[in-house]
Amino acid sequence: MHSVRLAGLVAHQEVLFGGHGETLTIRHDSLDRVSFMPGVLLAIRRIGTLSRRGFSVGLETLLGIE
């Protein structure tokens, strides 16, 4: 686990997969908080469609891919 503090870098995610003699890296960087807004707006618009029974796990219901 590591932490990156860099001006202009809002979020950084990196996943590493490794095998014998090889690695695969998937990386995502967000440089502006505006990149999160489509997901925030989607959640606000669809929050009323969630079950009132308790916790919801996953994003499938909000994304309509159940």
Side-chain angles (χ1 to χ4, degrees):
M1 180 178 289
H2 69 279
S3 177
V4 176
R5 301 288 184 256
L6 181 65
L9 186 62
V10 175
H12 166 82
Q13 299 83 31
E14 189 171 52
V15 179
L16 297 165
F17 298 97
H20 296 286
E22 64 181 352
T23 61
L24 170 66
T25 304
I26 301 173
R27 177 178 169 163
H28 172 259
D29 292 317
S30 292
L31 305 176
D32 192 326
R33 283 177 169 65
V34 74
S35 64
F36 299 106
M37 290 312 298
V40 170
L41 293 174
L42 176 75
I44 290 170
R45 290 181 183 124
R46 296 193 179 168
I47 194 77
T49 66
L50 296 177
S51 171
R52 305 257 188 247
R53 294 177 289 161
F55 292 108
S56 290
V57 177
L59 296 174
E60 293 84 5
T61 303
L62 285 176
L63 296 175
I65 56 175
E66 297 186 86

